[in-house]
Amino acid sequence: MIGNLKPLEIVLIIVVILLLFGAKKLPDMARSLGKSARILKSEAKAMKKDDDTAAPAADQPADATAQQQAAAPRTIQASPGDVTSSRPVTEPNRTTQS
């Protein structure tokens, strides 16, 4: 369907988009779309990596797995170029809460 568009139709679509969103907002929208895509990609990689490391851990006893998870602090990964959003995740200690 996109291959059937003529150059005049493409120009008309671009003009309508500019009128709807404005020329000032389009770069911001593209930037946020790019950040979202990078975050989605990095999270998908992290989930795949977690799945790969979880399979060998299934052979270990539950106590050993819990100790390994408690020893390694979890960190939220920042997108490339965004150095301010990487921070450690603090989880409440569930054993001390009543």
Side-chain angles (χ1 to χ4, degrees):
M1 180 176 165
I2 293 176
N4 295 337
L5 293 178
K6 297 179 177 114
L8 182 60
E9 294 170 341
I10 294 173
V11 169
L12 183 63
I13 290 171
I14 291 172
V15 168
V16 169
I17 289 173
L18 282 172
L19 287 175
L20 287 175
F21 297 108
K24 292 183 180 181
K25 295 211 178 208
L26 285 178
D28 293 334
M29 290 173 55
R31 191 175 300 115
S32 65
L33 183 64
K35 279 186 179 181
S36 299
R38 281 192 301 265
I39 290 171
L40 181 65
K41 185 177 178 181
S42 67
E43 290 297 323
K45 280 185 180 180
M47 289 176 65
K48 189 173 183 180
K49 182 180 171 185
D50 287 345
D51 287 344
D52 291 342
T53 58
D59 297 336
Q60 296 177 351
D63 293 335
T65 306
Q67 289 174 353
Q68 287 176 351
Q69 289 176 352
R74 293 177 44 202
T75 302
I76 297 174
Q77 297 295 325
S79 62
D82 186 13
V83 295
T84 60
S85 66
S86 180
R87 61 192 183 280
V89 177
T90 57
E91 295 179 355
N93 190 354
R94 296 174 193 232
T95 57
T96 59
Q97 293 178 351
S98 47

